[in-house]
């Protein structure tokens, strides 16, 4: 164990926002499919998530996002809550098929109008909108043409980015091209657990390469249309440790680290795919065309890091290509979240340090960090001290990295509202605000009140 940084000794009442500096950005993050609902409202086309969740058995609980938190209708009240809590930055994503129902071609003015209203309501309340262009809800029509496994997706995505930049670029200064490409390609194109439910390397590898190309192309498109915008993209990352110090576990951990933490950022930084530590990445060559190495790169203004936990990795001969398995947190006698993830705050410190080590790494923001617990409402109140503790202990680790020189300039809690947690449905509650999904009633949890006090303290 490393020696704790000096802020670790700070008493609770001295741990405050000012320690992070005046320019540090504080916010909350959300995603369109998880909160909006309005799945077929006013000309919206279906996305892969609308279609996937309608398939019997695709999501174990049978839940779907047809209504979700009804943010499509409740956005004025929800933005009022942001204001009440004093949260200055709001990250949300745009639903591609709400804006371009078939993914390419005709634009749905009602979709543009909805996001105009969301952006304008934020600005009228002194809240800075941070827009993610793609948070996993590919238009279904594009999936029928192969989705992310079809190279044409790069052009379709570029068209979507152009439409959004032209519609919203006069007011939106902060853009994130993609959310966690590793998760939507891994869970959606290899494991089949997320939409569109595809499996195997023949889906996964082309999806990876096209997501890298689209991310870079999205960055170039934004930069050419909005030269003054701050342009970023976001990556999931988990701190990886080997189960033992034996060579096989160490090498297995390196492979998993290359897959989960390096596969997307390294080509973007101009380093190519991490083939040496992840031999299966050599198969990506099959999908590369001349000139792609250059097209995979883009000089982002910032990188968003999204961290929730750490993983322990063991060598295994039963997992093809990777020869590694994750040792489940539930078998490790460690504190767990409602997702079954280990609560391990130093993970976020290690990830910040790891990303900061890359040459040419731009400034970093923590664009997601948060936790799910069961959170029940009792007498109109939701008391969630474990979430307050989780966020505080992670913030201490962010500060530790910052004090050691990492250029981290912001922190966004995942998330504002309890919402549709993908394959897990509505059970895991990640919000600072409790949602009763029957009545759509909101209750600010004690963690929401704590965040307010912290931000205003
Ligand atoms: C995603 C969110 C998700 C959260 C918690 C991130 O991987 O960006 O959409 O809800 O983690 O699982």
């Amino acid at each position: 164990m490393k020696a704790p940084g000096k802020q670790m000794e700070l008493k609770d009442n001295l741990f405050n926002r000012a320690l992070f500096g005046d320019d540090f950005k504080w916010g909350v993050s959300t995603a369109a499919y998880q909160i909006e609902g309005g799945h077929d409202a006013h000309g919206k086309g279906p996305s892969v998530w609308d279609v996937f969740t309608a398939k019997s058995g695709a999501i174990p609980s049978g839940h779907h996002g047809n209504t979700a938190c009804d943010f499509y209708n409740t956005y004025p009240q929800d933005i009022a809550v942001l204001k009440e809590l004093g949260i200055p930055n709001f990250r949300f994503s745009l639903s591609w098929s709400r804006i371009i129902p078939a993914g390419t071609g005709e634009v749905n003015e009602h979709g543009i109008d909805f996001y105009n209203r969301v952006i304008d309501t934020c600005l009228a309340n002194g809240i800075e909108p941070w827009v993610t262009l793609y948070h996993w809800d590919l238009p279904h029509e594009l999936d029928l043409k192969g989705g992310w496994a079809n190279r044409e997706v790069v052009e379709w995505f570029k068209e979507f980015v152009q439409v959004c930049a032209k519609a919203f670029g006069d007011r939106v200064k902060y853009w994130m091209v993609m959310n966690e490409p590793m998760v939507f390609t891994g869970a959606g194109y290899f494991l089949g657990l997320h939409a569109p439910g595809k499996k195997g390397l023949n889906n996964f590898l082309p999806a990876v390469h096209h997501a890298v190309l689209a991310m870079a192309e999205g960055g170039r498109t934004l930069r050419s249309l909005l030269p003054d915008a701050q342009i970023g993209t976001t990556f999931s990352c988990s701190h990886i440790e080997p189960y033992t110090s034996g060579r096989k576990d160490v090498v297995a951990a390196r492979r998993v680290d290359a897959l989960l933490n390096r596969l997307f950022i390294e080509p973007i930084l101009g380093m190519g795919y991490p083939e040496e530590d992840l031999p299966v990445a050599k198969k990506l060559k099959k999908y590369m065309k001349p000139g792609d190495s250059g097209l995979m790169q883009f000089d982002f203004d910032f990188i968003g890091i999204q961290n929730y936990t750490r993983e322990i990795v063991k060598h295994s001969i039963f997992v093809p290509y990777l020869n590694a398995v994750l040792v489940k947190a539930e078998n490790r006698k460690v504190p767990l979240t409602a997702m079954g993830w280990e609560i391990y705050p130093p993970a976020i410190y290690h990830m910040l340090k790891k990303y900061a080590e890359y040459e040419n790494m731009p400034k970093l923001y923590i664009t997601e960090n948060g936790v799910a617990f069961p959170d029940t409402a009792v007498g109109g109140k939701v008391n969630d001290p474990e979430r307050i503790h989780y966020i505080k202990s992670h913030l201490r680790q962010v500060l530790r990295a910052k004090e050691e020189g990492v250029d981290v300039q912001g922190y966004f809690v995942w998330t504002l509202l309890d919402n549709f947690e993908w394959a897990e449905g509505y059970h895991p509650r990640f919000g600072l605000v409790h949602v009763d999904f029957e009545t759509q009633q909101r209750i600010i949890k004690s963690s929401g009140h704590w965040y307010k006090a912290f931000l205003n303290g």
Side-chain angles (χ1 to χ4, degrees):
M1 273 259 305
K2 292 213 170 102
K6 69 174 187 247
Q7 82 288 347
M8 296 297 283
E9 290 133 38
L10 276 182
K11 292 254 168 43
D12 228 31
N13 55 352
L14 295 177
F15 183 72
N16 58 40
R17 174 186 181 159
L19 296 167
F20 293 79
D22 291 344
D23 297 332
F24 201 81
K25 308 285 186 201
W26 297 95
V28 286
S29 288
T30 61
Y33 189 72
Q34 296 182 271
I35 61 170
E36 283 179 5
H39 69 112
D40 58 359
H42 304 123
K44 177 180 171 291
S47 79
V48 286
W49 273 96
D50 293 311
V51 174
F52 187 65
T53 51
K55 272 189 206 149
S56 140
I59 299 288
S61 60
H63 294 170
H64 52 70
N66 290 1
T67 307
C69 308
D70 199 28
F71 182 81
Y72 187 67
N73 295 304
T74 62
Y75 72 90
Q77 294 91 295
D78 292 327
I79 294 172
V81 170
L82 285 172
K83 185 174 185 187
E84 183 187 337
L85 296 182
I87 297 173
N89 297 285
F90 179 41
R91 174 176 174 233
F92 57 92
S93 77
L94 307 178
S95 155
W96 185 345
S97 63
R98 196 181 290 294
I99 292 175
I100 308 179
T104 172
E106 207 177 321
V107 171
N108 174 24
E109 289 307 326
H110 296 292
I112 300 276
D113 180 53
F114 168 64
Y115 292 112
N116 272 334
R117 284 182 276 125
V118 171
I119 292 165
D120 291 344
T121 308
C122 284
L123 294 172
N125 285 285
I127 295 162
E128 187 77 52
W130 290 55
V131 166
T132 310
L133 283 155
Y134 186 74
H135 201 128
W136 309 353
D137 43 358
L138 187 77
H140 171 62
E141 289 293 319
L142 300 183
D143 184 51
L144 297 176
K145 300 177 194 168
W148 286 102
N150 180 346
R151 190 174 168 116
E152 276 184 74
V153 74
V154 181
E155 285 307 307
W156 300 327
F157 185 64
K158 182 177 176 176
E159 180 187 331
F160 170 57
V161 177
Q162 284 169 336
V163 169
C164 297
K166 286 177 189 155
F168 313 121
D170 56 335
R171 286 151 295 151
V172 174
K173 288 194 243 152
Y174 294 90
W175 294 83
M176 284 142 289
V177 175
M178 259 183 206
N179 183 73
E180 301 190 349
M182 184 58 223
V183 177
F184 79 80
T185 56
Y189 286 80
F190 187 73
L191 299 172
L193 297 172
H194 278 194
K198 294 185 179 163
K199 290 185 184 167
L201 276 190
N202 291 341
N203 286 307
F204 175 64
L205 292 174
V208 166
H209 187 53
H210 303 146
V212 169
L213 290 172
M215 203 161 35
E217 193 58 31
R220 282 186 287 274
T221 307
L222 287 173
R223 176 117 346 121
S224 72
L225 293 171
L226 307 172
D228 298 329
Q230 281 286 303
I231 302 165
T233 196
T234 76
F235 298 106
S236 49
C237 57
S238 292
H239 176 54
I240 306 292
E241 286 178 26
Y243 185 59
T244 68
S245 55
R247 205 187 69 87
K248 283 189 169 173
D249 285 347
V250 170
V251 176
R254 211 178 289 151
R255 273 193 300 275
V256 171
D257 179 57
L259 175 71
L260 298 186
N261 297 326
R262 299 170 49 198
L263 186 62
F264 287 88
I265 183 69
E266 294 193 1
I268 288 291
L269 293 174
M271 301 163 67
Y273 291 115
E275 292 176 358
E276 208 170 300
D277 289 325
L278 184 67
V280 69
K282 292 192 182 121
K283 292 180 187 283
L284 283 159
K285 286 203 180 72
K286 183 173 160 195
Y287 304 97
M288 287 184 67
K289 295 204 168 160
D292 274 10
S293 313
L295 292 174
M296 286 152 70
Q297 294 180 44
F298 181 69
D299 198 6
F300 281 101
D301 296 309
F302 69 89
I303 293 297
I305 289 191
Q306 317 201 143
N307 171 262
Y308 290 84
T309 191
R310 79 165 160 179
E311 298 292 355
I312 303 294
V313 174
K314 202 173 167 182
H315 174 80
S316 162
I317 50 166
F318 301 110
V319 182
Y321 305 110
L322 211 51
N323 287 353
V325 281
L326 303 183
V327 183
K328 283 192 176 163
E330 67 193 44
N331 299 331
R332 290 194 268 119
K333 296 198 176 73
V334 291
L336 298 180
T337 75
M339 296 290 282
W341 298 344
E342 179 186 3
I343 300 177
Y344 185 69
I348 204 164
Y349 164 84
H350 292 301
M351 297 322 297
L352 282 165
K353 295 287 274 193
K354 180 182 174 74
Y355 278 70
E357 263 170 31
Y358 284 110
E359 224 175 289
N360 304 327
M361 178 57 79
K363 67 185 164 225
L364 301 170
Y365 293 113
I366 300 293
T367 39
E368 283 183 26
N369 172 243
V371 64
F373 288 118
D375 298 342
T376 41
V378 180
K381 291 203 161 125
V382 179
N383 195 18
D384 58 341
E386 305 92 341
R387 179 170 291 99
I388 300 176
H389 185 256
Y390 179 99
I391 296 175
K392 261 203 260 185
S393 51
H394 282 74
L395 278 176
R396 285 175 185 270
Q397 296 289 337
V398 173
L399 186 58
R400 176 180 165 206
K402 190 169 164 25
E403 286 177 346
E404 290 178 21
V406 172
D407 188 13
V408 52
Q409 301 198 9
Y411 176 91
F412 288 65
V413 176
W414 182 268
T415 180
L416 178 65
L417 304 168
D418 292 340
N419 63 38
F420 177 77
E421 177 53 33
W422 308 112
E424 317 296 325
Y426 290 97
H427 294 308
R429 293 180 173 271
F430 273 92
L432 295 175
V433 176
H434 184 272
V435 177
D436 178 328
F437 294 103
E438 299 287 312
T439 62
Q440 292 299 339
Q441 199 204 344
R442 273 64 164 148
I443 300 173
I444 298 173
K445 300 179 191 176
S446 53
S447 58
H449 293 295
W450 169 80
Y451 199 38
K452 174 180 180 175
F454 178 82
L455 294 180
N456 298 304

